[in-house]
Structure formats: C-alpha cells, structure tokens
Amino acid sequence: MTKEKIWTKNFISISLVNLFVFTTFYALLTTLPLYVMEEWGGVTEAKGGLVVTVMLLAAIVIRPLSGNILSRFGKRKMLILTVILFALSVIVYVFIQNFTGLLVLRFWHGIPFAILTTATSALAADIVPKTRRGEGLGYFTMSMNLAIVIGPFLGLTLTQFVTYKTMVIILNIFTIISVFLALLVKDHHKASKDIEMKEEKLTKKLSLQDLFEKNALSTSFIGLLISFAYSSIISYISVYANDLG
C-alpha cells in the first residue's frame, strides 16, 4: 500500500510560513529588550521585559477567540490577512521613537500573531493525510523548533554588525516572503461544506464551550508550566549575557 504524501506544495508552504513568522518573532523577542535598554536612557530591565510581555499578553487575550474567528471567516482568508498585518507591523518598528509607542505596537502586533499562528496549525492539520497525521504534524512543529534556534541567533548576530533598523528591515524581508508563501496555500475543505459550517456558525451564539475545551486543560497545563519557565529564560537571557560581557 502506497503511503500518502506529506511533503506536498501545500505542506511545504504552510511550514515555511510558520518558520519565517516564528523566526521573526524570536529574533525580535531577544533583541528588543537589549535595544530599548541601550538606545533609550532610563529604560530598566523590567521595562525591557515588558516589551516582550505586552505582545504575548495580546496574543493570550485573542488566542481563545482565534478558533471561532477561523471558523467564521475561513482559515485561508485569515491566514493571508493576518500574515499581511504581521508583515506591516514589523516594518513599523523602524519608525518607533519612544517606549510608549513601542508598547502600543507590540500589543497590536500580538493580535495578528495569535490568529496567524492558530491558522497555520489548523491548516497544517487539514493538509496532512489522516493516516500520517502524527508524523506530519511532527515535521510541521519542527519548523517552529528551527525558528527557536535561528531567530535569536540571527537577531543577536545581526545587531553586532548592523543597526537595529537594518536588522528589522532584514526581518521584514522574511515576513514578505511569508505573505507570498501564504498565497500558495490551498484550503482542503470542500466549498459546500464550508458554506454549511459558516451558516451554522453565524446562527449560533458564542458560548464558553466555543472558547475552552475541558478535555484539553490537563495537557494545556503541562504546556503552561513548560512555557512559563522557558519564556522567563528567553526574555532575559540576552540581557543577562550582556551583563556577563
């Protein structure tokens, strides 16, 4: 029996979108605290960490709504819209001149990021053949793991040789590539099925059950503990390394 293909154009495209988006995210995550502390006087380490926290706070607020948004408006449509908004948000970093403006931008940036990363995961689950879903989603997750390695290394390396604004422009090239890759992704759902689901969703009021799945809470709690430790480290590791010289 011939195995169904995982590495299709669709799967490669959505995986690369995920890779470039998270590479940009992690590059900014590790360089922004250093940038605001070194370039803007009076910014403490706590405030440097706040530029990381505020984006993730926005993502946390929007994330529970993301699934419902994708169901109502379509996964591919929201993928394209949010990756464009994500790319536009990155270029705005070049023009920010004060700490308050940066916090506002970071909060806004977290909104398309939350929906975009939900859309990539949902589309990847649809694209991967059911008979090879575990294997396929493992490969897809690897794109994010690679970004965790590439993003901080790229961001911190670039800041040693080019200005912060130049680094942001380079990262924006990645996001522009992501937009073109997103346009290549096709939604596997049948049109008729989508219409039926959309009509059903539009007539149904939003409830707490649409936002939280109780069967996922135990697994989510494990993820929360791991992410809590990891986020604390990655937010301040560049600042700590800088203090060590």
Side-chain angles (χ1 to χ4, degrees), residues 53-125:
T53 305
V54 72
M55 180 179 179
L56 298 177
L57 177 64
I60 290 168
V61 171
I62 296 299
R63 187 82 72 179
L65 303 172
S66 298
N68 196 266
I69 291 170
L70 296 181
S71 297
R72 286 174 179 268
F73 301 105
K75 297 171 189 173
R76 184 175 182 272
K77 286 181 182 178
M78 293 310 300
L79 170 71
I80 294 170
L81 175 62
T82 52
V83 78
I84 291 172
L85 292 175
F86 185 87
L88 291 174
S89 299
V90 172
I91 200 62
V92 177
Y93 283 89
V94 175
F95 306 102
I96 296 296
Q97 300 294 327
N98 59 76
F99 187 71
T100 303
L102 181 61
L103 289 183
V104 172
L105 175 60
R106 290 291 287 171
F107 187 85
W108 158 255
H109 203 183
I111 296 173
F113 175 75
I115 301 171
L116 169 57
T117 50
T118 304
T120 53
S121 299
L123 282 164

Side-chain angles (χ1 to χ4, degrees), residues 37-228:
M37 289 172 60
E38 292 176 358
E39 298 296 324
W40 298 339
V43 176
T44 63
E45 291 179 357
K47 286 185 176 180
L50 188 60
V51 301
V52 173
T53 305
V54 72
M55 180 179 179
L56 298 177
L57 177 64
I60 290 168
V61 171
I62 296 299
R63 187 82 72 179
L65 303 172
S66 298
N68 196 266
I69 291 170
L70 296 181
S71 297
R72 286 174 179 268
F73 301 105
K75 297 171 189 173
R76 184 175 182 272
K77 286 181 182 178
M78 293 310 300
L79 170 71
I80 294 170
L81 175 62
T82 52
V83 78
I84 291 172
L85 292 175
F86 185 87
L88 291 174
S89 299
V90 172
I91 200 62
V92 177
Y93 283 89
V94 175
F95 306 102
I96 296 296
Q97 300 294 327
N98 59 76
F99 187 71
T100 303
L102 181 61
L103 289 183
V104 172
L105 175 60
R106 290 291 287 171
F107 187 85
W108 158 255
H109 203 183
I111 296 173
F113 175 75
I115 301 171
L116 169 57
T117 50
T118 304
T120 53
S121 299
L123 282 164
D126 288 343
I127 291 167
V128 173
K130 289 183 179 180
T131 55
R132 303 182 68 185
R133 182 158 290 171
E135 182 185 357
L137 291 180
Y139 291 136
F140 173 77
T141 305
M142 190 171 65
S143 66
M144 186 172 69
N145 295 336
L146 286 172
I148 293 172
V149 177
I150 297 169
F153 174 77
L154 179 65
L156 293 171
T157 302
L158 284 173
T159 54
Q160 295 180 48
F161 300 101
V162 299
T163 64
Y164 171 78
K165 289 184 178 181
T166 302
M167 182 203 71
V168 170
I169 291 170
I170 293 170
L171 293 178
N172 197 241
I173 294 171
F174 289 170
T175 62
I176 291 170
I177 294 172
S178 297
V179 172
F180 287 105
L181 288 168
L183 293 172
L184 298 177
V185 177
K186 305 297 180 186
D187 198 338
H188 275 202
H189 286 293
K190 298 290 185 182
S192 59
K193 185 178 179 181
D194 280 347
I195 292 170
E196 289 173 8
M197 287 178 65
K198 188 174 182 180
E199 288 176 349
E200 183 182 343
K201 291 288 182 181
L202 288 174
T203 56
K204 181 183 175 184
K205 290 184 178 180
L206 186 66
S207 66
L208 193 62
Q209 290 181 340
D210 294 324
L211 302 180
F212 300 101
E213 173 53 60
K214 63 180 182 180
N215 294 325
L217 289 179
S218 57
T219 306
S220 299
F221 184 69
I222 295 170
L224 171 66
L225 295 177
I226 295 170
S227 298
F228 183 83

